[in-house]
Amino acid sequence: MKRPVKSWSGRSGLSKVDLYTRVTAYMLLWAAVLVLGLLLLIRPIRHEAPLLLVVVAPLLDLANGVLCHRLLRRAMDAYLRPGTVLPPREVLPAAGAAAATTGAVLLAATATDLAELLPGMLAAALVPFLAGHCLLHRLRFVALHQLLLAGVLLLLVPLTGLSPSRSLAAVVTVVFLTGWLAVTVRLSLWVLGVVFELREARDVQARLAVAEERLRFGRDLHDILGRNLSVIALKSELAVQLARRERPEAVDQMIEVQRIARESQREVRDVVRGYREADLRVELEGARGVLDAAGIDCAVDSPGAALDLPAEVRAALGWVVRETTTNVLRHGDARRCAIAVREEGGAVLLTVENDGARTRNGTEGETVTGTGTGGGAGTGTGAGVGVGTGTGTGAGPDADAGAGTGLVGLRERLAAVGGTLDAGPGADGTFLVTARIPVARAEVRR
C-alpha cells in the first residue's frame, strides 16, 4: 500500500528544506534534458544530420535524464550519510549515457553548422551526470575531474570544424556552466546536511537533559537513603546492644528506627513523584530556558498575582508545564510555544500552545516515556524536561495507586485538586493543552 503524499503545509520544517533542495536539483537536471532535447529537434539538425542521428540523439538524451536522475537520487542520499560509497554499477550506466549523449551532440555539430549552440548543447548533455557526480567525491577530486573534462573537450571540439579560438571559447563556456552547477548542487546539499546535524544536535540535547535529570534523581535517592540507612543501621546496632543488656532504652531506639524508616519512605516517594521540585514558578522558568536552548521561541505570560496560589495548585500546574514542555521537545517540530497563566471565572487557567504538532503517533498528547514497578516510578525534570511519571501500587495511606502517565496522569493530578485538563488541536494547526483549577479568591495568598 502506498504511503499518502504529505502536503507542503503538513510537513515539518526539516522535511520542507529537504524536499525543496532535492526538487531544485532534479529541476536543474531535467531542465538541461529538456533544453537539449529541443535543440536536437531544431531545423538544421532535422534536415542536415543523418536520419539515424536525428532519431537516436533525442532518445539518448531521454535515457541520459532517466539514468542520471537515479544517480542523483543515490548521490544525494550518500552525501547526507558520510561514509557511504556508491558501487561502480550505480555510476557507470549514467556515465555511459552522458558520454553517448555528448558524442551525439558532437556528431550533430559536425554534420551541421551549430557553432553558436554547441557550448549550450554540450553543457546540457553533461549537466545531468555532473549534478550527481559532484556529490560523490571530495572537492579537490571534483576540480580535477573538471580539468580532465576540459582537456578531453579541447581534443574533441575542434573535430567539429570550429576554429581554435572558437573551440577554446566553447570549452571554457562548458567548463564554467558545469562547474557552476557542481558548486550550486554541492552547496545546497551541504546546507541540507547542516540542517540535519542541527536537528540531531537538538535531539541529543533533549536526551542529555533527560540523562541529567536521571543523574539528579539518583543523587537525591543516594542522599536520602544513604543518610537515613546509616542512621537506621547505627540505631539498630545500639538497640541490639541495649536489648542484650535488658535495658528499656532499646524500645525507644527501635521506635526511632521505625520513625526514620517511615520518613525515608515518604521522602523517597516525594523524590520519585517529583513533588519536591514541581513548583509552578520554577517550571515556567525552566520551560522557557530549555525551549529557548532547543531553538523554540517560548513566550511565558504569568502575572505575579496568578502565580500566588496554594501549594497543591502550584504543584499540579507545575506538572502540567513539565509534561507539556517535555512533549513539545520530543514530539512534532515546534518553532513556537506560548505558555500563559491567568485567573478566569473563579479559577486559575494554564494554557500551553505550540505549533509543529503531529497527528496520531506524534502528538503532544503523548508522554515521552514512563516506567515504574512496585511502589513508584519515573521522574520529571525541574527544568521542564524529563521522563514522564509512572506508578505502581504502593502500599500505605500515601500510595497513589492508579496514577498514570502523560495526559492521563495529568488529569488524575488535576482531579485531586478539583481541576480539569483539555488537550487537542488549536487554531492554525497548533496543539493546545488547557488546565483549569477552581480557586476561591480567599484561598489566593496575596
Side-chain angles (χ1 to χ4, degrees):
M1 182 178 180
K2 294 184 178 180
R3 292 179 298 177
V5 179
K6 292 183 178 179
S7 64
W8 178 261
S9 59
R11 292 178 177 269
S12 65
L14 179 61
S15 179
K16 289 179 179 179
V17 174
D18 179 55
L19 179 63
Y20 170 79
T21 303
R22 291 175 184 270
V23 169
T24 301
Y26 292 143
M27 288 179 63
L28 288 174
L29 184 153
W30 285 105
V33 172
L34 177 62
V35 168
L36 179 59
L38 294 176
L39 291 176
L40 288 172
L41 296 177
I42 60 177
R43 181 182 181 86
I45 295 180
R46 293 202 317 270
H47 288 272
E48 300 178 17
L51 178 61
L52 180 62
L53 181 62
V54 173
V55 174
V56 170
L59 295 178
L60 286 175
D61 179 46
L62 180 61
N64 186 35
V66 173
L67 293 174
C68 291
H69 179 98
R70 181 172 178 268
L71 173 64
L72 178 59
R73 184 180 71 253
R74 300 290 179 84
M76 287 191 290
D77 293 338
Y79 183 85
L80 295 173
R81 297 184 181 92
T84 304
V85 179
L86 289 185
R89 66 175 181 273
E90 299 284 350
V91 182
L92 292 180
T101 305
T102 303
V105 169
L106 292 173
L107 289 176
T110 302
T112 59
D113 184 15
L114 297 176
E116 295 181 356
L117 300 178
L118 183 59
M121 295 178 68
L122 287 174
L126 293 170
V127 157
F129 174 73
L130 294 179
H133 176 268
C134 69
L135 300 174
L136 301 177
H137 305 281
R138 296 182 179 180
L139 287 174
R140 59 176 178 269
F141 289 111
V142 175
L144 178 61
H145 293 160
Q146 285 292 107
L147 291 177
L148 292 176
L149 174 65
V152 172
L153 291 178
L154 283 174
L155 295 176
L156 296 178
V157 171
L159 299 179
T160 62
L162 293 180
S163 64
S165 59
R166 300 184 73 176
S167 298
L168 179 61
V171 171
V172 170
T173 302
V174 172
V175 172
F176 172 78
L177 291 177
T178 55
W180 170 82
L181 171 87
V183 171
T184 300
V185 173
R186 194 171 182 109
L187 281 178
S188 298
L189 268 293
W190 175 77
V191 171
L192 181 60
V194 171
V195 173
F196 274 112
E197 290 178 1
L198 291 175
R199 177 58 178 269
E200 184 178 357
R202 174 179 165 181
D203 293 340
V204 170
Q205 185 181 36
R207 290 194 296 270
L208 288 176
V210 173
E212 182 180 357
E213 173 57 20
R214 288 173 176 168
L215 290 175
R216 184 203 64 80
F217 174 68
R219 288 194 301 267
D220 284 354
L221 285 180
H222 177 270
D223 292 342
I224 292 173
L225 294 180
R227 178 192 67 230
N228 291 355
L229 290 177
S230 297
V231 174
I232 289 173
L234 289 174
K235 287 188 172 291
S236 298
E237 183 179 355
L238 177 58
V240 170
Q241 294 177 2
L242 291 173
R244 286 174 178 173
R245 298 175 186 176
E246 298 182 355
R247 298 280 297 274
E249 291 87 347
V251 176
D252 296 332
Q253 294 298 326
M254 290 310 298
I255 291 175
E256 182 66 13
V257 167
Q258 185 181 38
R259 186 193 65 80
I260 295 174
R262 288 178 176 173
E263 181 68 17
S264 299
Q265 183 184 23
R266 184 189 63 79
E267 290 181 347
V268 169
R269 188 179 298 116
D270 287 345
V271 172
V272 168
R273 294 172 186 162
Y275 285 136
R276 297 202 316 174
E277 293 190 14
D279 180 78
L280 181 56
R281 294 178 186 271
V282 174
E283 296 301 332
L284 288 173
E285 290 302 320
R288 189 205 308 269
V290 170
L291 293 178
D292 286 344
I296 301 174
D297 184 17
C298 180
V300 177
D301 182 12
S302 56
L307 297 181
D308 197 6
L309 302 165
E312 64 274 11
V313 175
R314 294 200 308 273
L317 294 179
W319 264 108
V320 176
V321 174
R322 175 179 299 180
E323 291 288 345
T324 52
T325 301
T326 299
N327 289 335
V328 169
L329 284 170
R330 296 297 301 274
H331 301 296
D333 187 45
R335 296 185 298 274
R336 296 182 301 277
C337 180
I339 304 175
V341 183
R342 64 182 183 275
E343 293 183 56
E344 182 180 284
V348 59
L349 192 68
L350 169 66
T351 60
V352 182
E353 185 174 18
N354 64 277
D355 62 355
R358 298 176 184 170
T359 59
R360 296 184 69 85
N361 293 332
T363 64
E364 271 63 26
E366 298 174 347
T367 188
V368 178
T369 178
T371 60
T373 60
T379 73
T381 70
V385 180
V387 296
T389 64
T391 66
T393 55
D398 294 330
D400 267 342
T405 60
L407 295 184
V408 175
L410 291 180
R411 288 190 175 98
E412 293 176 354
R413 294 178 186 277
L414 292 174
V417 291
T420 59
L421 181 76
D422 295 320
D428 301 326
T430 61
F431 192 86
L432 177 64
V433 176
T434 304
R436 181 188 300 272
I437 300 178
V439 179
R441 295 290 297 179
E443 295 178 359
V444 180
R445 297 174 299 182
R446 297 296 182 183

